């Protein structure tokens, strides 16, 4: 999707997500910027070939190709979770082209969504189908929000649109079968050299505190914004606080 006018922002969703992850944020950002939200390969309404590479560096290559195709010089990239790793890798692969990156709860250290922690890896077909079931999606999102009242039937309906696209289950199987899907990305985190900001939800988890500290150590000089009483989907749960931080970051860049 493309909305608004002004300098370019490219939004990259996380695992199991789509352009829908940015609905609330886009409503604010499009007033001053041209917002490009994409469905990554294998997600949302994008193609889902079972023989493709779904490793994050391969997804970053696709984002880079998108930026080059549209000649989005000096774009700012915003990525959530898995998308945070992808935009960091894209910045390293397009030196001088990307003006800055915003990483919302970046997944440099692999931690499966709450629902997936209870499953066996890799997925067999039954588990891949379960991921695309209403029960599976509800469990995943309820475990990822601080305010679980935001996980509505309407939200789940929108998320499940992807399961009706050709090859959805087979692509999910292919992703889980790739050993690269269960790794850490310290090298990508350490490759970030341009202006960057990380946004995290504050929910008092000790393991998450360690993860944030490790990311700060690896991503040199990155600004850190903490949003209180917020789950993993900061841009959806606390969009005003999130956009306030993003706008301040954007306004500090020399467009």
């Amino acid at each position: 999707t493309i909305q608004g006018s002004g300098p370019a922002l490219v939004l990259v969703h996380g695992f199991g997500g789509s352009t829908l992850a940015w609905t609330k944020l886009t409503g604010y950002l499009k007033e001053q910027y041209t917002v490009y939200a994409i469905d990554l390969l294998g997600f949302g309404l994008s193609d889902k070939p079972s023989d493709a590479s779904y490793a994050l560096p391969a997804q970053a290559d696709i984002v880079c190709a998108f930026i080059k195709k549209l000649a989005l010089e000096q774009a700012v990239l915003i990525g959530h979770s898995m998308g945070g790793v992808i935009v960091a890798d894209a910045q390293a692969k397009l030196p001088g082209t990307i003006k800055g990156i915003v990483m919302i709860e970046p997944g440099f250290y692999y931690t499966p969504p709450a629902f997936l922690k209870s499953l066996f890896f890799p997925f067999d077909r039954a588990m891949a189908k379960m991921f695309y079931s209403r029960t599976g999606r509800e469990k995943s999102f309820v475990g990822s929000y601080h305010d679980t009242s935001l996980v509505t039937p309407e939200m789940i309906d929108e998320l499940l649109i992807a399961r009706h696209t050709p090859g959805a289950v087979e692509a999910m199987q292919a992703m889980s079968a790739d050993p690269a899907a269960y790794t850490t990305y310290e090298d990508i985190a350490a490759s970030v050299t341009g202006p960057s900001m990380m946004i995290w939800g504050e929910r008092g988890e000790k393991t998450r505190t360690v993860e944030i500290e490790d990311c700060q150590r690896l991503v040199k000089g990155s600004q850190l914004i903490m949003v209180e009483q917020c789950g993993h989907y900061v841009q959806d749960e606390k969009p005003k606080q999130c956009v306030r931080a993003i706008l301040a970051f954007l306004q500090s860049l020399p467009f």
Side-chain angles (χ1 to χ4, degrees):
T1 62
I2 304 174
Q3 298 184 57
S5 61
L9 307 179
V10 179
L11 278 50
V12 182
H13 63 77
F15 184 83
S18 70
T19 58
L20 295 171
W22 305 107
T23 301
K24 293 179 183 177
L25 209 63
T26 300
Y28 294 103
L29 295 175
K30 68 181 182 181
E31 296 179 7
Q32 301 179 50
Y33 299 91
T34 303
V35 181
Y36 300 82
I38 64 175
D39 283 340
L40 293 168
L41 187 70
F43 298 100
L45 300 180
S46 286
D47 291 344
K48 300 175 178 63
S50 60
D51 59 349
S53 172
Y54 292 102
L56 302 201
Q59 294 279 21
D61 288 341
I62 294 173
V63 173
C64 290
F66 174 83
I67 291 168
K68 290 178 181 178
K69 180 70 174 179
L70 296 184
L72 302 180
E73 294 291 334
Q74 300 302 295
V76 172
L77 311 185
I78 303 175
H80 172 245
S81 193
M82 175 182 81
V85 180
I86 291 170
V87 300
D89 197 30
Q91 183 194 50
K93 289 173 174 175
L94 293 175
T97 299
I98 306 305
K99 186 172 285 293
I101 60 172
V102 176
M103 299 163 285
I104 303 173
E105 299 232 342
F108 292 114
Y109 294 92
Y110 172 72
T111 53
F115 164 61
L116 300 186
K117 292 178 182 178
S118 64
L119 301 181
F120 295 100
F121 293 91
F123 284 177
D124 59 17
R125 184 174 177 80
M127 288 301 180
K129 289 178 70 175
M130 182 62 179
F131 177 79
Y132 277 121
S133 70
R134 176 170 290 277
T135 299
R137 301 265 60 192
E138 285 178 347
K139 285 185 177 179
S140 175
F141 272 74
V142 166
S144 299
Y145 274 71
H146 182 270
D147 180 1
T148 57
S149 70
L150 295 173
V151 182
T152 64
E154 293 75 21
M155 172 194 286
I156 302 302
D157 287 341
E158 291 183 333
L159 289 167
L160 291 176
I161 291 173
R163 75 176 177 181
H164 300 296
T165 57
V169 172
E170 291 77 10
M172 185 60 63
Q173 283 182 270
M175 289 179 217
S176 70
D178 185 351
Y182 312 106
T183 188
T184 58
Y185 298 94
E186 290 96 335
D187 57 334
I188 293 178
S191 74
V192 176
T193 57
S196 67
M197 179 174 70
M198 289 188 289
I199 302 176
W200 292 83
E202 175 59 67
R203 44 199 182 273
E205 299 173 2
K206 186 175 181 179
T207 54
R208 184 54 55 88
T209 300
V210 172
E211 183 177 355
I212 295 170
E213 291 174 349
D214 283 345
C215 286
Q216 276 190 288
R217 172 178 55 83
L218 290 166
V219 186
K220 304 296 185 183
S222 185
Q223 296 181 43
L224 174 64
I225 301 295
M226 300 298 300
V227 179
E228 294 184 353
Q229 296 184 319
C230 186
H232 183 56
Y233 290 84
V234 186
Q235 73 275 24
D236 187 64
E237 193 163 1
K238 295 291 181 73
K240 290 184 178 180
Q241 292 91 322
C242 190
V243 79
R244 189 180 303 126
I246 291 173
L247 288 176
F249 175 76
L250 293 173
Q251 289 161 9
S252 72
L253 301 175
F255 276 104

